Amino acid sequence: MIEVKNLTKHYSLLESPAVKDVSFCAKEGKITILLGPNGAGKSTTIKMLGGILVPDGGSVLCGDRVPWKERKE
């Protein structure tokens, strides 16, 4: 299961946050879709879920792991 709570990411070149207060739960065996227009923060959210980016706020648990702290595992 993937639990995302209040995920936030700012980029210094943007006036508004790339991702702001995103929360959802993706249960094992279920299909979860991130849907939105260009610039909505879908790719940034996926990068934080994979540990490529570190969020500025909020939390992500993939199983019992924090992606950006335990990326190789």
Side-chain angles (χ1 to χ4, degrees):
M1 177 170 23
I2 299 172
E3 289 183 71
V4 178
K5 295 181 183 175
N6 304 106
L7 199 61
T8 302
K9 180 69 178 174
H10 293 88
Y11 289 114
S12 58
L13 298 177
L14 299 177
E15 290 182 19
S16 59
V19 175
K20 182 179 178 185
D21 289 329
V22 172
S23 298
F24 63 89
C25 182
K27 296 183 180 179
E28 190 172 336
K30 300 290 181 182
I31 296 173
T32 302
I33 298 172
L34 285 178
L35 185 64
N38 289 349
K42 300 176 302 290
S43 295
T44 300
T45 299
I46 293 296
K47 288 176 184 178
M48 289 186 281
L49 293 176
I52 296 169
L53 291 176
V54 177
D56 295 326
S59 64
V60 176
L61 281 177
C62 292
D64 60 349
R65 298 176 191 255
V66 177
W68 55 91
K69 291 183 180 176
E70 304 173 77
R71 185 166 179 220
K72 290 184 181 181
E73 287 81 15

